[in-house]
Amino acid sequence: MTIGLCLLVYNELEGCKIDIPQLQLNHFDQVFAVDGGSTDGTLEYLKSNNIDVRIQPRKGYNFAYIYAFDIATTDVLIFFHPKGSVNPHCLLHFKKYFENGFELVIASRIIKGAKNEEDGFLLKPRKWFVIVLGIIAGILWKKEGIYIWDVLHGLRGMSKKAFLSIKPLDYGLSMDVEMVIRSYKMKIKRIEFPIEEKVRAYGRSHFKPIPTGIKLAKYLWFELTRKD
């Protein structure tokens, strides 16, 4: 089994400066970055660290994943967003799960033993949203296998064979939850393991809560009516 690592980036220079020096790139058979149009020096920094950088020919979160799998020459592809909030050493945990036959592996900020960036606060809107979305997805589509709680964490890996089989949408930003829902529907073997997430040391998420929530709700409706 060969395993690749894809860095998904968009104006994440500061995060790259934190995470790239900690990456153990020799553990992967292929390493590359997919960039959504950075203008802050992210591209130059990655290239200076001998990382192959590919510019998305089309914008969009979903398309970034599809483009990455088109580039991938490995059996499995792991996605990592270098933003300084997760210890990159957790990437080394993925291999054992794939070797045990799982085809979708997610690093969870929700399950027992994990830590979410909002756990130190009284109100946890992002965490609660992920939990509710996970419950909805589980109720509607899970018929067997392991239940996935952290349906929106981009730190994940999937076999190329399984990804192509789910026939994901090439537009929008539903990819994270879509991979989970489609794995439920197609009975793809899946698992999540706990990690610790800390508050970003700089900047803000690229995904604004309300617009993102609306788009994900539209995707859920689409999946409910999807015929496949």
Side-chain angles (χ1 to χ4, degrees):
M1 177 185 294
T2 53
I3 299 180
L5 174 64
C6 173
L7 309 176
L8 290 182
V9 294
Y10 175 59
N11 288 335
E12 292 288 1
L13 176 60
E14 296 306 317
C16 286
K17 288 180 178 179
I18 295 171
D19 290 336
I20 300 304
Q22 301 182 65
L23 291 177
Q24 298 184 46
L25 302 181
N26 60 319
H27 283 264
F28 303 96
D29 299 288
Q30 181 186 17
V31 178
F32 62 93
V34 170
D35 184 88
S38 296
T39 57
D40 66 343
T42 297
L43 298 178
E44 293 75 11
Y45 180 80
L46 291 174
K47 290 178 180 178
S48 71
N49 282 272
N50 298 315
I51 294 176
D52 179 22
V53 182
R54 308 294 183 95
I55 309 298
Q56 288 181 227
R58 275 175 47 196
K59 292 187 179 297
Y61 187 70
N62 279 25
F63 188 76
Y65 278 80
I66 291 174
Y67 184 53
F69 271 105
D70 284 342
I71 296 169
T73 59
T74 53
D75 301 311
V76 168
L77 189 57
I78 298 171
F79 292 88
F80 181 65
H81 301 247
K83 52 186 180 181
S85 60
V86 174
N87 189 329
H89 292 163
C90 71
L91 292 169
L92 304 182
H93 296 312
F94 281 85
K95 185 176 181 179
K96 60 185 178 184
Y97 295 107
F98 286 113
E99 289 180 338
N100 285 323
F102 293 99
E103 293 187 274
L104 173 61
V105 182
I106 297 174
S108 176
R109 306 158 296 177
I110 306 294
I111 61 176
K112 184 178 180 180
K115 183 178 180 181
N116 187 279
E117 65 173 347
E118 293 182 326
D119 282 344
F121 302 99
L122 178 62
L123 298 178
K124 306 174 180 62
R126 288 183 179 275
K127 181 178 181 179
W128 293 338
F129 178 76
V130 173
I131 291 174
V132 170
L133 185 60
I135 291 173
I136 293 172
I139 290 173
L140 292 176
W141 289 288
K142 190 182 101 59
K143 306 302 180 184
E144 51 74 51
I146 293 174
Y147 186 97
I148 298 296
W149 284 95
D150 201 347
V151 295
L152 288 185
H153 200 198
L155 179 49
R156 59 181 57 207
M158 196 170 197
S159 73
K160 189 169 187 176
K161 179 181 178 181
F163 183 80
L164 294 177
S165 74
I166 67 174
K167 299 178 181 178
L169 299 176
D170 64 358
Y171 60 89
L173 46 73
S174 60
M175 185 61 75
D176 291 334
V177 69
E178 185 172 352
M179 290 165 76
V180 174
I181 290 174
R182 299 293 288 169
S183 76
Y184 286 159
K185 296 179 76 171
M186 303 188 71
K187 299 182 180 180
I188 291 171
K189 195 174 181 182
R190 58 200 173 269
I191 196 170
E192 58 183 343
F193 66 90
I195 58 149
E196 293 189 0
E197 178 191 50
K198 59 184 178 181
V199 178
R200 287 176 64 128
Y202 72 97
R204 296 181 179 180
S205 169
H206 295 301
F207 303 104
K208 296 180 180 180
I210 294 178
T212 299
I214 292 173
K215 290 178 181 178
L216 290 178
K218 290 181 178 179
Y219 163 71
L220 293 180
W221 175 251
F222 167 79
E223 195 64 57
L224 275 172
T225 59
R226 188 172 184 170
K227 296 180 180 180
D228 52 9

